[in-house]
């Protein structure tokens, strides 16, 4: 019995470590990820996984990364923070790989500041595409990509479910969506996460009025993204939704990587019956349509 699935990984900054835990459980349970799509932090995890690294290897690498040096005070363009540290952390894993050299199909999302339209990234150097999909507007500088000026894909598509379906090697595979934002109902009961008080630059300016105003703006963006996420989930209808309990984690927060990964593992383990059921129904539908989709 085949256990083929496709996966869509959502954005969420430091919450994205939970994706490693989800991938770890999916591999352990014998599911075969045939294609993967990601946005923002989910795009980062998706790219490294598509490059051929196992979740345990990704976890070991992330545990060695100095989180205090991921974000710098000298952005290469309009933004509050630079991301040279993120680039340095990913370079040993992705190097000069192009999309054509990946182990499985990968697609990342970004948004063009000029046109306001979503841009799907599926060719060229993978590392450049990752730098585009994680470019949180106002925080990190936008990424030049041909004629486009790209920012974080989560602005329009926080969890790229339809894109995951589109790049699947065959139709009818169930989509497992990993959502890092809490539901609207649960959001009301959670403490509001910070956006990076542990980042040295942000910590120094945290008491300034402009910084407080900026924090209000970012919290508003977070609320909007949660709303967009729920709307897109209703529209795109993934077969399975895995939602790790990471709503308390701030986007740029320094975290215990192992603890956040564990939250991803727990959520994936709880969702295993749903995934099995999705596989069962997809097989039944395929048989009704003649054994395969065209």
């Amino acid at each position: 019995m085949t256990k083929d699935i496709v996966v869509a990984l959502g954005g969420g900054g430091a919450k994205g470590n939970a994706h490693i835990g989800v991938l770890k459980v999916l591999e352990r349970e014998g599911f075969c990820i045939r294609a993967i799509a990601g946005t923002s932090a989910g795009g980062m995890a998706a790219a490294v996984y598509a490059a051929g690294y196992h979740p345990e290897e990704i976890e070991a690498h992330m545990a060695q990364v100095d989180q205090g040096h991921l974000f710098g005070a000298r952005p290469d363009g309009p933004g509050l923070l630079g991301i040279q540290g993120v680039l340095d952390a990913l370079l040993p894993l992705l190097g000069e790989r192009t999309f054509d050299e990946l182990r499985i199909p990968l697609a990342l999302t970004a948004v063009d500041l000029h046109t306001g339209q979503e841009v799907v990234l599926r060719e060229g150097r993978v590392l450049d595409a990752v730098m585009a999909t994680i470019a949180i507007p106002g925080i990190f500088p936008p990424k030049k990509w041909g004629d486009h000026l790209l920012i974080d894909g989560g602005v329009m598509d926080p969890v790229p479910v339809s894109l995951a379906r589109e790049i699947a090697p065959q139709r009818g595979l169930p989509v497992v969506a990993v959502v890092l934002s809490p539901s609207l109902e649960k959001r009301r009961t959670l403490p509001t996460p910070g956006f990076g008080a542990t980042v040295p630059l942000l910590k120094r300016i945290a008491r300034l009025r402009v910084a407080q105003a900026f924090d209000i703006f970012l919290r508003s963006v977070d609320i909007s993204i949660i709303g967009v996420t729920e709307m897109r989930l209703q529209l795109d209808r993934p077969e399975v939704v895995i939602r790790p309990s990471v709503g308390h984690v701030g986007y740029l927060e320094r975290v215990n990587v192992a603890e956040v990964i564990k939250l991803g593992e727990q959520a994936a383990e709880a969702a295993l019956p749903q995934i099995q059921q999705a596989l069962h129904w997809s097989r039944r539908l395929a048989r009704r349509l003649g054994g395969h989709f065209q």
Side-chain angles (χ1 to χ4, degrees), residues 19-44:
H19 289 313
I20 303 171
V22 173
L23 294 171
K24 184 187 294 188
V25 171
L26 293 178
E27 279 206 350
R28 186 190 71 206
E29 297 297 322
F31 295 102
C32 184
I33 299 174
R34 293 299 186 183
I36 191 165
T39 295
S40 196
M44 187 186 306

Side-chain angles (χ1 to χ4, degrees), residues 37-57:
T39 295
S40 196
M44 187 186 306
V48 176
Y49 184 79
Y53 292 95
H54 293 292
E56 290 78 9
E57 294 176 296

Side-chain angles (χ1 to χ4, degrees), residues 160-189:
V161 173
S162 61
L163 182 57
R165 283 199 182 100
E166 181 182 328
I167 66 171
Q170 65 188 79
R171 295 180 60 187
L173 297 182
V175 177
V176 176
V178 185
V179 182
L180 300 182
S181 61
S183 63
L184 290 171
E185 293 74 18
K186 191 166 186 179
R187 174 70 172 78
R188 300 187 185 100
T189 66

Side-chain angles (χ1 to χ4, degrees), residues 91-282:
L91 190 59
L93 299 176
L94 297 176
E96 298 298 317
R97 277 188 180 88
T98 66
F99 280 82
D100 292 336
E101 298 171 314
L102 297 175
R103 178 175 60 91
I104 59 174
L106 166 72
L108 308 180
T109 66
V111 174
D112 189 344
L113 269 178
H114 296 315
T115 66
Q117 295 182 332
E118 183 178 44
V119 176
V120 175
L121 306 174
R122 292 199 63 189
E123 59 183 23
R125 193 170 78 136
V126 176
L127 192 52
D128 290 333
V130 172
M131 292 300 102
T133 195
I134 68 171
I136 302 173
I139 298 290
F140 303 139
K143 176 68 177 177
K144 184 71 174 175
W145 182 280
D147 295 331
H148 302 291
L149 190 62
L150 301 180
I151 58 172
D152 193 320
V155 171
M156 295 188 69
D157 194 359
V159 188
V161 173
S162 61
L163 182 57
R165 283 199 182 100
E166 181 182 328
I167 66 171
Q170 65 188 79
R171 295 180 60 187
L173 297 182
V175 177
V176 176
V178 185
V179 182
L180 300 182
S181 61
S183 63
L184 290 171
E185 293 74 18
K186 191 166 186 179
R187 174 70 172 78
R188 300 187 185 100
T189 66
L190 291 172
T192 303
F195 278 82
T198 57
V199 177
L201 174 62
L202 298 184
K203 189 173 184 180
R204 289 197 299 270
I205 68 173
R207 295 185 180 182
L208 299 180
R209 184 173 297 179
V210 65
Q212 294 171 353
F214 192 64
D215 185 62
I216 291 172
F217 165 73
L218 288 177
R219 291 171 193 263
S220 301
V221 170
D222 185 47
I223 293 170
S224 298
I225 289 176
I226 291 174
V228 172
T229 299
E230 298 307 306
M231 180 183 69
R232 289 299 301 251
L233 290 175
Q234 288 295 321
L235 179 67
D236 298 332
R237 296 188 177 279
E239 282 70 24
V240 179
V241 174
I242 298 177
R243 204 185 291 258
S245 298
V246 291
H248 61 287
V249 178
Y251 277 72
L252 307 181
E253 191 172 322
R254 189 177 300 183
V255 298
N256 183 314
V257 172
E259 288 181 1
V260 179
I261 288 175
K262 188 64 178 178
L263 294 174
E265 291 182 54
Q266 292 170 350
E269 289 166 352
L272 289 175
Q274 292 177 269
I275 303 175
Q276 293 286 6
Q277 184 178 30
L279 285 166
H280 172 71
W281 279 104
S282 67

